[in-house]
Amino acid sequence: QVQLVESGGGLVQAGGSLRLSCTASGSDISINAMGWYRQTPGKQRELVAVITSGGVWQYADSVKGRFTISRGNAKNTVYLQMSSLKPEDTAVYYCYCNTGWASEDAWGQGTQVTVSS
C-alpha cells in the first residue's frame, strides 16, 4: 500500500514561484508514474503534469512553459516547479502515483496553492 506526502504549497503573489514535492512510501513499491493534479471548487480535478518511470512527461496546455516536473534521485519523489504563477493557478494540488503490476492509483492529501492578484 502506497502513501503519498506532499509539501510546498502556500500563498504567493502573481508572477511568483513555488516548488511542490511529493514522496511515495510503502512496502516493496514499484512506481510506474508520478504526477500532479489540481482541483478548485466547482471544477473537475485536472491533470497538471505527469512523468513516467522512463522519464516521459506530459503537461497541461495551461501550464506549459511555466511548470516543470521532475523526479528525485530516489525515484520515489516528484517535484513540481511552478513559476510565473497566475491567480488561475489557485487550487488544491494533489500528488498522483501509479504503482505495481496491477497499475494501481494512489493520491496524496493535497496541498493548497493560492496566488493573489
Side-chain angles (χ1 to χ4, degrees), residues 36 49 59 63 65-70 79-83:
W36 297 90
Y59 294 95
V63 306
R66 299 188 298 117
F67 292 10
T68 302
I69 189 169
S70 62
Y79 304 96
L80 185 68
Q81 179 66 49
M82 305 183 293
S83 61

Side-chain angles (χ1 to χ4, degrees), residues 18-22 33-37 47-52 55-60 63-72 77-83 94-97:
L18 283 175
R19 189 193 191 208
L20 306 182
S21 64
C22 175
M34 296 187 72
W36 297 90
Y37 286 70
L47 171 70
V48 178
V50 171
I51 187 168
T52 71
V56 179
W57 63 94
Q58 295 182 355
Y59 294 95
V63 306
K64 287 181 179 177
R66 299 188 298 117
F67 292 10
T68 302
I69 189 169
S70 62
R71 297 280 295 276
T77 300
V78 65
Y79 304 96
L80 185 68
Q81 179 66 49
M82 305 183 293
S83 61
Y94 295 91
C95 183
Y96 162 81
C97 185

Side-chain angles (χ1 to χ4, degrees), residues 23-105:
T23 299
S25 62
S27 299
D28 195 26
I29 59 173
S30 178
I31 298 175
N32 304 316
M34 296 187 72
W36 297 90
Y37 286 70
R38 66 187 181 185
Q39 187 170 24
T40 57
K43 291 186 175 293
Q44 296 180 352
R45 187 173 299 184
E46 65 172 344
L47 171 70
V48 178
V50 171
I51 187 168
T52 71
S53 60
V56 179
W57 63 94
Q58 295 182 355
Y59 294 95
D61 289 341
S62 60
V63 306
K64 287 181 179 177
R66 299 188 298 117
F67 292 10
T68 302
I69 189 169
S70 62
R71 297 280 295 276
N73 291 334
K75 302 300 181 183
N76 67 333
T77 300
V78 65
Y79 304 96
L80 185 68
Q81 179 66 49
M82 305 183 293
S83 61
S84 300
L85 282 163
K86 305 174 181 179
E88 305 93 275
D89 296 318
T90 296
V92 177
Y93 285 69
Y94 295 91
C95 183
Y96 162 81
C97 185
N98 181 268
T99 62
W101 299 109
S103 189
E104 299 174 343
D105 292 340

